[in-house]
Amino acid sequence: MRSLKDWSGLAAKGFAMGSADLVPGVSGGTIAFITGIYDELISTIAGLGIDTLKDLFKGGLKLVWTKYNLSFLAVLGLGLISAVIALSGSIHWLQIEYPTELRAFFFGLVLASAPILSREVKPNTIRKYLMILLGVLIAVTITSLPPAVQSNSPLFLTISGAIAICAMLLPGISGSFILLILGAYTPVITALSNFDILRIGAFAVGALIGLLTFSRVLSRILKNHHSTTIALLTGFLLGSLHVIW
């Protein structure tokens, strides 16, 4: 059972995740990974699906809320959404006025956390370091792709949301940066700033589809190949440093 202090800390972690996702080059998944809630986040999201709806009709909301750990998602999501609403304008301003200082903060955060996370992968084998190197190469390749032409079409934002949310779940691969590559970053930030319900809704639908699909794959991989996956994710973290810098 979590105490009130634990729930407050979880909301703060959600707020930090939302703040990070607003900055191109920084992933909310990185914050989840650093703060120790990554495994629970992925497994909880992956547990949602058709069975959740069946249990809702059979046993009611109380059963579903407890069985599927929805308190965890609700508190974390509240913190994340609060950050997006409260900081989308401020983060955009900081990116224009103090881009170096903002990126330096996240650079230090990622750089300091990567060695700590890599120590969780035991034993120290050649395979571990090869997976870290592979993660670095994948992250560098993805984040080196050129930006696409911008579009604010609702259908385009739906597709972009589905792709970007997959990146947001991975430490080191920024969902915001993927939006930049796709050409959807400015339209999404503009929609959030202007409370454009149509485009926000289109993006959210895509994100939900991508979230439920990709989380299942990632949860299964983490369950069956935990150490190898953590090593790869550590590589993603290190590979993202060149973008932040």
Side-chain angles (χ1 to χ4, degrees):
M1 290 291 291
R2 284 186 165 97
S3 64
L4 180 60
K5 181 179 179 180
D6 294 332
W7 289 117
S8 299
L10 183 61
K13 292 173 183 178
F15 193 90
M17 287 176 64
S19 303
D21 276 326
L22 290 171
V23 181
V26 185
S27 167
T30 299
I31 304 300
F33 201 43
I34 291 171
T35 55
I37 61 171
Y38 190 75
D39 283 358
E40 183 177 4
L41 174 62
I42 298 301
S43 62
T44 300
I45 295 173
L48 302 177
I50 299 298
D51 289 339
T52 311
L53 293 176
K54 291 179 180 179
D55 286 339
L56 179 62
F57 288 118
K58 290 181 180 180
L61 180 60
K62 185 176 181 180
L63 171 67
V64 169
W65 193 269
T66 303
K67 181 178 179 179
Y68 292 94
N69 200 20
L70 295 187
S71 294
F72 170 83
L73 287 182
V75 173
L76 190 69
L78 180 62
L80 195 151
I81 293 171
S82 297
V84 171
I85 294 173
L87 300 181
S88 59
S90 300
I91 292 292
H92 186 61
W93 178 79
L94 286 171
Q95 286 178 304
I96 295 174
E97 299 295 331
Y98 300 99
T100 303
E101 290 81 356
L102 182 63
R103 288 178 178 274
F105 170 77
F106 283 106
F107 184 93
L109 183 66
V110 172
L111 185 62
S113 63
I116 297 173
L117 295 171
S118 69
R119 288 201 292 266
E120 293 185 11
V121 184
K122 297 177 181 179
N124 286 318
T125 61
I126 295 297
R127 179 184 176 86
K128 166 186 172 178
Y129 294 106
L130 286 175
M131 292 306 297
I132 291 176
L133 178 60
L134 178 61
V136 170
L137 293 175
I138 292 173
V140 169
T141 300
I142 291 176
T143 55
S144 297
L145 295 173
V149 178
Q150 291 185 8
S151 172
N152 63 355
S153 161
L155 177 60
F156 173 74
L157 293 180
T158 300
I159 297 171
S160 298
I163 297 172
I165 198 67
C166 297
M168 290 178 183
L169 288 176
L170 293 173
I173 300 182
S174 164
S176 294
F177 197 82
I178 295 299
L179 289 178
L180 269 180
I181 293 172
L182 294 172
Y185 179 75
T186 298
V188 170
I189 290 295
T190 302
L192 289 170
S193 299
N194 297 333
F195 292 97
D196 187 334
I197 301 301
L198 174 62
R199 286 171 175 78
I200 292 174
F203 181 80
V205 168
L208 181 62
I209 294 171
L211 188 69
L212 294 177
T213 303
F214 185 64
S215 62
R216 291 176 180 273
V217 176
L218 190 55
S219 177
R220 188 171 301 173
I221 293 173
L222 277 169
K223 182 178 180 180
N224 296 326
H225 308 282
H226 189 270
S227 292
T228 301
T229 306
I230 296 299
L232 185 67
L233 296 179
T234 301
F236 287 167
L237 283 180
L238 293 172
S240 71
L241 289 175
H242 84 103
V243 178
I244 303 174
W245 185 256

